[in-house]
Amino acid sequence: MGIMGSFSSEQLEAFNSQGFIVIESFASPEEIDGMRKRMDHLLDEFDCSSVSIFSTKNQKEMTDDHFFESADKVSFFFEEKAFDDDGNLKQSKQLSINKVGHALHEIEPVFKKFCGSEKLSSMLVSLGYKRPVIIQSMYIFKQPGIGGEVVPHQDNSFLYTDPPSCTGLWLALEDATVVNGCLWAIPGSHKNGLVRRFIREDEGVRFDRPSPDYDHKDFVSVEVKAGSLVVIHGDLIHQSFENQSSKSRHALSLHVVDTNNHVWAPDNWLRRRVDPEPLFVS
């Protein structure tokens, strides 16, 4: 017998209506602890003599070779506000990292086990996936005081297939609140289709059209407890604000696309040397 879908009809209806759904207690405390401890170890071993900064505000200017080459590696990216005027870290590397990506799910056993779990696959069956692959994984820190803003965006802009098939899976490894930078989303915005694409060319990267202006009153906060999974439609407009609190907001972010009759766009920023293995084939 193949993998069975795990969503109820009510959950599917909510996802299709709102463009996102929260699944509480998706990850166990033991799974969360294992991923956090492994990331602590990776950070302890990380040599921060080379610096790459991640920013969603200045993606065209900040996107460098380190970012491009991270598709099938475990790479480290710093917060914009982590450095002083002389280019030195203001505090420890553990409190200066923005994220680690983009192949934790393939290289690191603790993350690989979670990403290959049946509970994750059964959820993707519910969403209609036939041959899903996790195309990227990121451990996001949202550091106290300097955790950067993620501007309003759609995941399909960055990870495009024809037809579009990206779904974001955002797992809270700590409680996410309005104070420490939780997600915000415009319910139902996925029904309006893809607004713009982030394209990689020989000269670098660019958006194919300007971003629309969004009214903050249209967004709702998505506050969740540690262990909760937020499932995000690829066309949903979502964002998060700077973390100006004294508490971090760790999360694991995965992006899944279907490779069954879906063509990966050659001008996506993410280009792999080897095609990823599907989680299952139905």
Side-chain angles (χ1 to χ4, degrees):
M1 177 180 288
I3 301 171
M4 303 295 290
S6 59
F7 275 7
S8 67
S9 58
E10 290 79 10
Q11 286 176 311
L12 275 175
E13 182 179 352
F15 179 77
N16 291 330
S17 172
Q18 300 296 307
F20 69 96
I21 188 173
V22 175
I23 305 174
E24 296 180 351
S25 303
F26 187 84
S28 68
E30 293 75 21
E31 288 173 317
I32 294 172
D33 186 59
M35 286 186 272
R36 294 194 63 179
K37 284 182 176 177
R38 181 55 186 164
M39 185 52 62
D40 287 343
H41 180 74
L42 291 174
L43 271 176
D44 287 342
E45 292 189 328
F46 168 54
D47 177 7
C48 60
S49 57
S50 61
V51 171
S52 182
I53 296 172
F54 179 76
S55 168
T56 67
K57 284 186 174 181
N58 304 297
Q59 283 169 315
K60 185 173 181 179
E61 293 79 10
M62 294 286 194
T63 304
D64 56 13
D65 288 342
H66 184 68
F67 187 82
F68 287 140
E69 294 167 1
S70 67
D72 50 11
K73 298 179 181 179
V74 175
S75 302
F76 297 76
F77 302 90
F78 285 95
E79 289 283 358
E80 282 187 272
K81 294 183 178 180
F83 301 90
D84 61 24
D85 293 339
D86 296 323
N88 299 312
L89 287 176
K90 297 177 183 177
Q91 50 193 357
S92 71
K93 61 183 178 182
Q94 286 83 357
L95 293 175
S96 303
I97 290 290
N98 172 290
K99 70 175 183 177
V100 176
H102 289 95
L104 289 163
H105 62 289
E106 294 183 324
I107 295 174
E108 286 297 326
V110 173
F111 294 92
K112 186 175 183 179
K113 181 179 180 181
F114 175 80
C115 294
S117 63
E118 185 172 337
K119 63 184 175 183
L120 193 145
S121 291
S122 63
M123 181 188 62
L124 294 174
V125 169
S126 294
L127 295 177
Y129 280 84
K130 302 297 183 184
R131 197 174 187 272
V133 300
I134 297 176
I135 202 66
Q136 71 172 18
S137 53
M138 299 176 288
Y139 191 110
I140 303 171
F141 294 83
K142 206 71 165 180
Q143 300 286 5
I146 62 169
E149 175 186 4
V150 178
V151 298
H153 67 283
Q154 299 167 297
D155 292 335
N156 274 327
S157 295
F158 301 91
L159 304 166
Y160 185 77
T161 62
D162 184 16
S165 66
C166 185
T167 296
L169 306 174
W170 193 94
L171 178 71
L173 300 176
E174 295 182 296
D175 293 352
T177 68
V178 169
V179 176
N180 72 350
C182 69
L183 296 177
W184 291 74
I186 302 180
S189 57
H190 64 299
K191 297 177 182 178
N192 299 323
L194 186 60
V195 173
R196 61 178 183 162
R197 285 195 55 219
F198 187 66
I199 294 172
R200 178 176 174 182
E201 302 171 317
D202 292 340
E203 299 79 16
V205 292
R206 66 177 177 87
F207 285 101
D208 62 355
R209 56 181 67 103
S211 174
D213 291 325
Y214 297 104
D215 192 329
H216 178 64
K217 70 177 177 57
D218 294 331
F219 286 84
V220 298
S221 60
V222 188
E223 294 188 292
V224 295
K225 294 292 187 181
S228 297
L229 182 74
V230 187
V231 185
I232 303 169
H233 190 283
D235 282 344
L236 182 78
I237 304 295
H238 59 289
Q239 66 175 336
S240 66
F241 296 104
E242 286 189 353
N243 181 6
Q244 298 179 344
S245 77
S246 60
K247 180 174 174 54
S248 61
R249 190 227 64 188
H250 290 200
L252 178 69
S253 177
L254 311 174
H255 291 99
V256 181
V257 298
D258 207 337
T259 57
N260 181 70
N261 296 323
H262 294 72
V263 179
W264 181 253
D267 56 1
N268 280 328
W269 78 264
L270 189 150
R271 301 177 185 177
R272 295 176 52 99
R273 287 178 283 267
V274 179
D275 290 337
E277 290 293 323
L279 296 174
F280 60 84
V281 178
S282 66

